[in-house]
């Protein structure tokens, strides 16, 4: 199998040497919020790698932090993964392994490799040392095995207050890696767990629980982001010293960062709590539920993840690159339709009283899509952007005495303009060229501009919503996003749409010609067209 990244190179080597026979990965979210685009990268990597090697991928809920976790998040995470089309092999929760993890801690104590420490969190942090200085050994480090067993049992039985005692692994206070300096592996914490309730008042730390859970599930490759690189020696220490049968391997990869995009559950949660957005599923949110509400196809997101690949160096991806994949997908798959955002009424003075039917191309990029009928009549609407009272040079849209083609219909000429008192355009009076019908144009008139329009007799009112980024500036690293919030990120227009848009199923995405990709929604009986992505591709491939 050809390797397309460094992880696959490692796997290929292990399969060849026989170290690994079945590749087994897991996607390990903490159920403390909704998944975002960054998680999609991890999902595609974990599920994609397993798929490629005909292996297995579990869904593993890392729920060792009871105070922040909720069943609501568990359900949302499952729904998001299903939306992406991935199928997990088994579902596990760290909390299902609490008994095993406890036994492993007892084993460490019995082997003289863990001790109960009475230092406060602050004292532990102070005695940990620095990058250049070793730490100081805890005065409780040499408690006897019997005393440790009794105290640890006491922790479990609730005989100590939160924070009064912790269990620490006895490794090396002089290790150059700070994570190896007698790390805390269990803490007393009275919090009701969303699955185990009040059964436990001690909870294992992530670094201790994770390798054990990986091992219990038969995971071969535990893929995580780069900030865990320094934790790998501890991961391996736990695997080696707890006597687990199956030995998983941790491999780190770079996180996904995207310009103009909040990519942290903690901050996304704050946006929701501060009502800066309508919820986790606000179409401006980079959460998977938000993207789904926005109308981003799962395929487009997966294509994006595939294209960015996996590497070992952190970097930042342009948000326009992500949008490029949405547009790319929808260009091939979305039907075309017409709507005008700021309508100007047009009367075609020489048009017959009865309306006429025209063939409208459903998707020029899809030969099988065919055509559907639209009507044109004496009264139509065009977009105010497509008419200029004082046209700039080389203006190919409509102007007084100028010609323009109505998409899939006729050429019209603007003969007269009726203005309101304030000087704005109220109505245009045009004439059409009967010989210029689309597909059968014998008029000989050459026009450079083609504009979209809707038939006023059959048009329906609609609300159009366009979105800006939640963050004003592109730069990601300045983590404090509160000053960078764009509080003007929804723009609403009252427009006119073809009746077809009111008839089709909710959730259908269209290319509104010359406007962008929009998703159809019905809200309170009203037609809403909600922007998915603009038409203009802001992504410039590097030469
Ligand atoms: P956040 O910082 O947003 O809370 P997290 O890393 O704490 O994210 P987890 O639920 O612990 O979120 O993550 C589940 C998996 O997704 C982990 O393997 C994590 O490394 C990965 N992941 C999270 N964010 C990203 C990202 N931006 N890029 C790639 N992988 C990510
Ligand atoms: Mg986390």
């Amino acid at each position: 199998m050809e390797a397309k990244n460094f992880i696959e190179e490692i796997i290929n080597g292990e399969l060849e040497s026989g170290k690994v026979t079945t590749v087994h990965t897991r996607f390990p979210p903490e159920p403390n919020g909704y998944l975002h685009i960054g998680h999609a990268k991890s999902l595609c990597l974990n599920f994609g790698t397993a798929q490629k090697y005909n292996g297995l991928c579990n869904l593993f809920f890392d729920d060792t932090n009871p105070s922040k976790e909720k069943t609501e998040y568990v359900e949302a995470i499952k729904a998001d993964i299903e939306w992406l089309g991935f199928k997990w092999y088994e579902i596990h929760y760290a909390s299902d392994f609490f008994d095993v993890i406890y036994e492993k801690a007892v084993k460490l104590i019995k082997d003289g490799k863990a001790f109960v420490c009475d230092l406060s969190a602050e004292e532990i942090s102070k005695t940990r040392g620095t990058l250049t200085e070793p730490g100081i050994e805890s005065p409780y480090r040499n408690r006897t095995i019997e005393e440790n067993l009794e105290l640890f049992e006491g922790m479990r039985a609730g005989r100590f207050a939160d924070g009064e005692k912790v269990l620490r692994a006895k490794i090396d206070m002089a290790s150059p890696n700070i994570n190896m300096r007698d790390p805390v592996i269990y803490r007393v914490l009275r919090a009701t767990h969303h699955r185990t309730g009040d059964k436990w008042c001690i909870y294992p730390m992530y670094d201790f629980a994770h390798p054990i859970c990986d091992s219990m599930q038969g995971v071969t490759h535990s893929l995580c982001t780069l900030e865990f690189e320094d934790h790998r020696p501890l991961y391996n220490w736990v695997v080696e010293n707890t006597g687990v049968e199956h030995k998983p391997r941790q491999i780190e990869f770079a996180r996904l960062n995207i310009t103009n995009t909040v990519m942290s559950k903690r901050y996304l949660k704050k946006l929701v709590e501060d009502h800066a957005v309508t919820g986790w599923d606000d179409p401006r949110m980079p959460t998977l539920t938000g993207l789904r509400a926005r109308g981003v196809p799962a395929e487009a997101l997966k294509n994006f993840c595939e294209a960015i690949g996996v590497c070992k160096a952190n970097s930042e991806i342009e948000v326009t690159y992500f949008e490029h994949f949405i547009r790319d997908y929808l260009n091939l798959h979305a039907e075309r339709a017409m709507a005008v955002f700021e309508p100007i009424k047009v009367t075609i003075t020489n048009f017959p009283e009865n309306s006429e039917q025209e063939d409208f191309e459903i998707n020029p990029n899809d030969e099988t899509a065919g055509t559907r009928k639209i009507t044109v009549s004496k009264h139509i609407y065009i977009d105010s952007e497509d008419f200029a009272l004082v046209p700039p040079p080389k203006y190919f849209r409509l102007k007084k005495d100028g010609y323009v083609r109505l998409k899939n219909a006729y050429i019209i000429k603007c003969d007269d303009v009726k203005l309101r008192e304030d000087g704005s355009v109220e109505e245009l009076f045009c004439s059409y060229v009967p010989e210029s019908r689309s597909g059968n144009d014998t008029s000989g008139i050459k026009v450079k501009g083609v504009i979209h329009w809707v038939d006023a007799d059959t048009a329906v009112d609609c609300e159009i919503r366009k979105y800006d980024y939640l963050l004003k500036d592109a730069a990601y690293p300045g983590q404090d996003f509160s000053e960078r919030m764009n509080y003007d990120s929804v723009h609403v227009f009252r427009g006119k749409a073809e009746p077809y848009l009111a008839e089709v199923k909710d959730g259908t995405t269209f290319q509104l010609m010359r406007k962008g990709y929009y998703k159809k929604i019905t809200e309170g009986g009203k037609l809403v067209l909600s922007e998915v992505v603009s038409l203009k591709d802001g992504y410039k491939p590097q030469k």
Side-chain angles (χ1 to χ4, degrees):
M1 208 92 64
E2 203 194 323
K4 63 171 193 276
N5 57 48
F6 74 97
I7 296 176
E8 295 185 357
E9 270 165 28
I10 294 174
I11 293 176
N12 283 349
E14 290 171 343
L15 287 170
E16 227 162 85
S17 73
K19 180 170 181 268
V20 167
T21 46
T22 303
V23 173
H24 196 156
T25 57
R26 87 285 172 262
F27 173 67
E30 186 181 349
N32 61 352
Y34 283 63
L35 301 182
H36 51 63
I37 311 183
H39 294 110
K41 174 174 176 177
S42 175
L43 278 161
C44 290
L45 175 61
N46 280 295
F47 281 93
T49 307
Q51 249 163 32
K52 171 165 176 169
Y53 289 96
N54 227 339
L56 311 166
C57 180
N58 284 359
L59 172 55
F60 173 69
F61 286 104
D62 173 21
D63 57 353
T64 48
N65 211 349
S67 44
K68 293 188 190 136
E69 295 154 3
K70 285 200 241 165
T71 307
E72 172 201 343
Y73 299 137
V74 168
E75 294 311 318
I77 288 169
K78 286 190 206 166
D80 285 343
I81 298 175
E82 280 166 359
W83 173 63
L84 280 176
F86 293 126
K87 299 212 178 353
W88 51 80
Y89 171 59
E90 290 171 341
I91 293 194
H92 290 284
Y93 296 79
S95 52
D96 291 346
F97 298 115
F98 280 170
D99 286 308
V100 182
I101 300 168
Y102 181 82
E103 280 164 27
K104 296 299 177 193
V106 171
K107 173 180 164 55
L108 286 182
I109 296 173
K110 285 184 178 160
D111 292 345
K113 291 174 183 166
F115 64 99
V116 172
C117 182
D118 297 6
L119 295 181
S120 67
E122 201 186 330
E123 286 163 329
I124 288 176
S125 151
K126 257 196 229 148
T127 51
R128 192 174 289 140
T130 64
L131 286 175
T132 48
E133 277 173 56
I136 300 162
E137 291 189 353
S138 161
Y140 305 98
R141 200 175 198 262
N142 296 316
R143 278 180 161 148
T144 62
I145 289 172
E146 289 66 36
E147 192 183 359
N148 280 320
L149 283 174
E150 195 194 313
L151 288 172
F152 188 49
E153 173 51 34
M155 282 169 64
R156 178 188 186 161
R159 285 203 284 277
F160 304 110
D162 287 13
E164 195 181 330
K165 284 186 172 31
V166 291
L167 184 70
R168 296 174 71 176
K170 196 191 280 189
I171 308 179
D172 178 8
M173 288 307 285
S175 168
N177 184 329
I178 294 179
N179 293 309
M180 300 297 274
R181 295 182 188 168
D182 293 4
V184 173
I185 58 175
Y186 257 99
R187 64 206 195 282
V188 181
L189 179 67
R190 283 175 182 75
T192 303
H193 190 280
H194 73 111
R195 299 189 82 236
T196 55
D198 294 318
K199 176 175 175 195
W200 297 89
C201 65
I202 56 171
Y203 291 96
M205 304 303 285
Y206 172 89
D207 281 337
F208 184 56
H210 209 81
I212 296 172
C213 294
D214 280 341
S215 172
M216 296 305 295
Q217 293 173 76
V219 165
T220 51
H221 299 88
S222 180
L223 311 178
C224 64
T225 40
L226 277 184
E227 67 272 22
F228 290 99
E229 194 167 13
D230 288 347
H231 296 240
R232 194 188 333 134
L234 179 53
Y235 183 98
N236 291 339
W237 185 91
V238 174
V239 168
E240 290 309 322
N241 289 280
T242 51
V244 291
E245 197 180 317
H246 178 84
K247 296 189 183 354
R249 167 175 187 175
Q250 174 180 307
I251 304 174
E252 309 85 17
F253 65 95
R255 283 183 98 79
L256 170 63
N257 292 319
I258 301 182
T259 58
N260 294 86
T261 308
V262 181
M263 198 84 94
S264 148
K265 267 187 277 183
R266 193 154 60 93
Y267 287 124
L268 291 171
K269 193 171 186 178
K270 192 163 156 22
L271 291 179
V272 174
E273 283 165 358
D274 292 353
H275 301 287
V277 291
T278 57
W280 287 98
D281 62 351
D282 186 302
R284 292 166 296 168
M285 289 282 270
T287 50
L288 300 192
T289 154
L291 296 176
R292 194 154 76 233
R294 179 80 171 243
V296 171
E299 284 304 321
L301 180 55
K302 290 202 276 189
N303 292 344
F304 165 70
C305 289
E306 176 75 31
I308 56 174
V310 213
C311 65
K312 267 237 169 240
N314 279 319
S315 67
E316 189 172 278
I317 307 284
E318 296 284 330
V319 67
T320 52
Y321 189 53
F322 175 47
E323 291 167 355
H324 171 78
F325 284 90
I326 305 172
R327 204 175 280 117
D328 224 41
Y329 183 88
L330 291 175
N331 185 31
L332 292 180
H333 295 93
E335 287 189 27
R336 272 49 173 171
M338 297 198 284
V340 296
F341 288 18
E342 285 173 282
I344 303 185
K345 197 170 172 193
V346 176
T347 296
I348 308 174
T349 49
N350 61 339
F351 204 85
E353 289 305 319
N354 291 333
S355 66
E356 206 182 89
Q357 293 213 327
E358 306 295 344
D359 286 325
F360 181 81
E361 237 184 324
I362 292 172
N363 184 346
N365 291 321
D366 179 357
E367 281 170 14
T368 63
T371 59
R372 63 182 165 83
K373 295 289 180 197
I374 55 170
T375 60
V376 58
S377 69
K378 208 176 174 77
H379 302 286
I380 64 167
Y381 292 107
I382 66 167
D383 231 300
S384 61
E385 278 186 358
D386 287 331
F387 177 78
L389 213 44
V390 188
K394 293 198 177 168
Y395 188 79
F396 300 125
R397 288 168 273 168
L398 197 58
K399 57 192 172 195
K400 175 101 195 315
D401 301 322
Y403 288 90
V404 82
R405 173 173 289 284
L406 299 176
K407 179 78 193 162
N408 283 106
Y410 293 93
I411 293 173
I412 56 169
K413 172 172 171 269
C414 179
D415 303 313
D416 222 338
V417 183
K418 182 176 167 192
L419 298 180
R420 294 190 190 88
E421 266 178 18
D422 65 1
S424 63
V425 178
E426 184 177 345
E427 188 173 351
L428 302 176
F429 296 93
C430 297
S431 47
Y432 86 120
V433 182
E435 305 78 44
S436 67
R437 192 173 186 184
S438 269
N440 185 22
D441 181 358
T442 56
S443 70
I445 302 173
K446 294 254 174 304
V447 292
K448 284 209 168 127
V450 180
I451 63 171
H452 63 283
W453 53 279
V454 294
D455 177 14
D457 286 355
T458 55
V460 288
D461 289 321
C462 63
E463 178 178 315
I464 290 141
R465 294 181 194 153
K466 289 187 68 163
Y467 307 106
D468 274 341
Y469 303 125
L470 282 174
L471 294 186
K472 282 188 274 211
D473 52 346
Y476 182 82
Q479 279 288 328
D480 184 12
F481 75 94
S482 55
E483 288 162 22
R484 300 161 53 211
M485 274 294 292
N486 177 8
Y487 286 101
D488 186 27
S489 52
V490 185
H491 308 286
V492 176
F493 301 82
R494 310 251 155 237
K496 298 277 184 185
E498 329 174 25
Y500 180 63
L501 287 168
E503 290 156 16
V504 294
K505 212 173 95 205
D506 260 30
T508 312
T509 301
F510 289 90
Q511 183 194 98
L512 296 183
M513 301 203 71
R514 303 178 61 240
K515 287 297 185 183
Y517 293 96
Y518 283 79
K519 174 175 158 175
K520 181 251 168 121
I521 314 171
T522 311
E523 259 180 33
K526 206 177 56 177
L527 172 62
V528 175
L529 299 170
S530 172
E531 183 182 47
V532 182
V533 68
S534 68
L535 262 191
K536 208 173 117 233
D537 202 329
Y539 167 67
K540 295 192 185 53
Q542 289 185 337
K543 301 246 165 62

